[in-house]
């Protein structure tokens, strides 16, 4: 599910090949948003039947500990577009259950989603997550963190199967037009919070 090193090194060339493979071999719909600036942000979305596979990566100019602290601050989600409520409901060892309310407006179509997501924390390495209750039929994935010469490489991968109540065209429009901005805002939030995150990692 994760983006491999070749993807990160070859950038647009890899994505163009992946896009052509999706069209010519699998016959499935997929698309890539590959503008590398800022944060060397790369996003690849592939439609797999009723589901969407999302892969993204960006480089934030902070440490691995700081990025992990940002990702695990579950209730402070001001920098994550669409999330209007986020509450920790349970903690059990390295497992945390978070209840969230997401509100989006795509075109003129309002979308409201409630979910409970269980996160498995991998200290300073990332997170695994899976929806245990919610409006989506299925949602699971990973966050992974790797240091590099520019800061920390943040990798995201997920499989999302939306509820069939939401028109498929609306979901695909969101994926094409909104999802890149969401990751860009997260990267900006990490950089903007660097001083506070640094204090938490001392």
């Amino acid at each position: 599910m994760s983006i491999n090193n070749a993807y990160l090194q070859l950038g647009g060339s890899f994505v163009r090949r992946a896009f052509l493979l999706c069209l010519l071999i699998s016959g499935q719909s997929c698309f890539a948003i590959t503008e590398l600036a800022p944060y060397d942000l790369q996003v690849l979305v592939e439609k797999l039947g009723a589901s969407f596979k999302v892969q993204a990566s960006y480089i934030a100019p902070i440490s691995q500990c700081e990025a992990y602290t940002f990702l695990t601050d579950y209730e402070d989600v001001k920098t994550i577009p669409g999330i209007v409520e986020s509450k920790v409901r349970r903690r059990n060892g390295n497992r945390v259950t978070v209840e969230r309310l997401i509100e989006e407006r795509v075109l003129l179509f309002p979308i409201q989603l409630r979910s409970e997501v269980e996160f498995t924390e991998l200290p300073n390495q990332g997170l695994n997550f899976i929806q245990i209750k919610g409006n989506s039929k299925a949602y699971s994935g990973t966050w992974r963190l790797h240091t590099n010469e520019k800061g920390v490489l943040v990798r995201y991968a997920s499989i999302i199967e939306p509820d069939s109540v939401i028109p498929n065209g609306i979901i695909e429009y969101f994926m094409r037009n909104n999802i890149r901005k969401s990751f860009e805002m997260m990267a900006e939030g990490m950089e903007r919070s660097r001083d506070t995150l640094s204090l938490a990692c001392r």
Side-chain angles (χ1 to χ4, degrees):
M1 291 178 62
S2 64
I3 305 173
N4 59 30
N5 289 335
Y7 175 49
L8 296 167
Q9 292 170 359
L10 295 175
S13 175
F14 174 86
V15 175
R16 282 192 294 273
R17 285 197 292 269
F19 182 70
L20 289 172
L21 284 172
C22 285
L23 291 177
L24 300 176
I25 298 177
S26 71
Q28 298 291 337
S29 171
C30 65
F31 41 91
I33 307 96
T34 60
E35 300 171 39
L36 296 183
Y39 306 107
D40 293 336
L41 174 60
Q42 300 185 50
V43 181
L44 179 64
V45 180
E46 182 180 358
K47 192 171 186 300
L48 303 172
S51 301
F52 291 89
K53 180 179 180 180
V54 181
Q55 295 177 303
S57 70
Y58 59 85
I59 296 173
I62 60 177
S63 72
Q64 196 166 349
C65 172
E66 290 162 359
Y68 179 76
T69 299
F70 181 92
L71 291 179
T72 54
D73 191 358
Y74 303 106
E75 296 190 346
D76 185 11
V77 292
K78 294 187 293 293
T79 57
I80 304 178
I83 299 180
V84 295
E85 294 179 13
S86 185
K87 298 290 183 183
V88 173
R89 295 305 184 195
R90 289 183 296 279
R91 287 186 180 271
N92 182 16
N94 69 331
R95 295 188 177 184
V96 183
T97 302
V98 179
E99 182 179 358
R100 283 182 171 166
L101 171 63
I102 298 173
E103 293 181 352
E104 291 280 0
R105 183 171 291 276
V106 181
L107 300 175
L108 297 178
F109 193 89
I111 298 174
Q112 186 178 84
L113 300 173
R114 284 195 177 273
S115 65
E116 283 192 11
V117 178
E118 183 181 84
F119 293 88
T120 301
E121 298 179 337
L122 309 172
N124 292 335
Q125 297 177 42
L127 300 163
N128 299 335
F129 60 86
I130 186 168
Q131 177 187 275
I132 55 177
K133 183 168 64 176
N135 295 123
S136 297
K137 288 186 176 180
Y139 175 50
S140 62
T142 62
W143 289 95
R144 290 294 182 268
L145 304 171
H146 304 276
T147 56
N148 71 9
E149 66 279 1
K150 295 181 181 179
V152 62
L153 170 64
V154 181
R155 292 180 177 175
Y156 169 90
S158 70
I159 296 288
I160 306 165
E161 184 179 354
D163 193 303
S164 57
V165 171
I166 302 173
N168 194 61
I170 296 295
I171 297 297
E172 192 156 342
Y173 181 91
F174 174 83
M175 292 293 186
R176 288 181 183 274
N177 295 280
N178 295 63
I179 198 165
R180 183 183 188 280
K181 186 62 178 176
S182 297
F183 286 109
E184 185 176 320
M185 290 181 69
M186 286 196 70
E188 290 173 352
M190 284 185 172
E191 182 176 21
R192 190 167 56 248
S193 304
R194 179 166 43 190
D195 292 343
T196 302
L197 298 170
S198 178
L199 289 174
C201 288
R202 289 181 180 173

